[in-house]
Amino acid sequence: SRTVITFGTFDVFHVGHLRVIERAAALGDRLVVGVSADQLNVSKKGREPVFSERERLEIVAALKPVDEVFVEESLDLKRDYILRYGADVLVMGDDWAGRFDEFGDICEVVYLPRTPAISTTALIEKISST
Ligand code: C2G
């Protein structure tokens, strides 16, 4: 059986998140999702997520295509996570294209096209301007 792993913040969960998760799941038999820790977000994006890691984890864990979730504590642990969860495929949206090619020695690396015109940042701007 084929295990797929993907990572993300999944803050203010939207259809772009759902679609990448559905397409990732379709590439294997079991989908494991690493949800970025709050602290990782502060260092990565310079702000706290709207929803806490516990809330984001709870939402992602409840999705039908998702078999297992964990907190992604650091971007530098990707190789460890791939090995720990026995992933055969690493899937990321193509905003990360090329960034994880180094893991091609232990798994297949796939970048999927992002859903156009939707992002958490755009949503936050839209909501705060109304
Ligand atoms: N995504 C998408 N379409 C959008 C928005 C997001 O396909 N319109 C995808 C991203 O490409 C990513 C996933 O949804 O694969 C999660 O996106 P983010 O929550 O923005 O994740 P990010 O903060 O980039 O975290 O280790 C990597 C990081 O933890 C990824």
Side-chain angles (χ1 to χ4, degrees):
S1 98
R2 229 160 103 91
T3 296
V4 181
I5 194 166
T6 192
F7 296 86
T9 309
F10 305 107
D11 190 28
V12 190
F13 196 89
H14 58 64
V15 76
H17 297 144
L18 180 62
R19 288 180 187 162
V20 79
I21 284 173
E22 285 175 334
R23 286 178 295 160
L27 296 177
D29 309 298
R30 169 174 171 257
L31 178 64
V32 180
V33 183
V35 176
S36 306
D38 290 335
Q39 201 42 55
L40 175 54
N41 255 261
V42 173
S43 58
K44 204 168 55 172
K45 297 184 180 172
R47 64 168 164 81
E48 295 262 342
V50 174
F51 292 130
S52 72
E53 69 191 39
R54 270 196 49 213
E55 293 167 325
R56 292 180 288 109
L57 210 79
E58 190 176 332
I59 291 167
V60 173
L63 299 171
K64 216 179 287 180
V66 174
D67 297 292
E68 194 170 346
V69 293
F70 67 93
V71 177
E72 178 192 28
E73 300 285 356
S74 161
L75 293 179
D76 302 328
L77 290 173
K78 218 158 245 92
R79 183 172 292 273
D80 296 344
Y81 295 135
I82 292 167
L83 294 171
R84 187 180 311 166
Y85 292 96
D88 302 291
V89 192
L90 166 63
V91 175
M92 291 300 300
D94 64 5
D95 43 325
W96 292 90
R99 299 275 297 277
F100 301 124
D101 289 355
E102 64 188 283
F103 307 119
D105 60 335
I106 52 169
C107 66
E108 195 182 318
V109 181
V110 176
Y111 304 100
L112 296 175
R114 275 170 72 93
T115 299
I118 184 158
S119 73
T120 299
T121 307
L123 282 172
I124 291 171
E125 277 166 20
K126 189 171 175 182
I127 293 163
S128 56
S129 68
T130 56

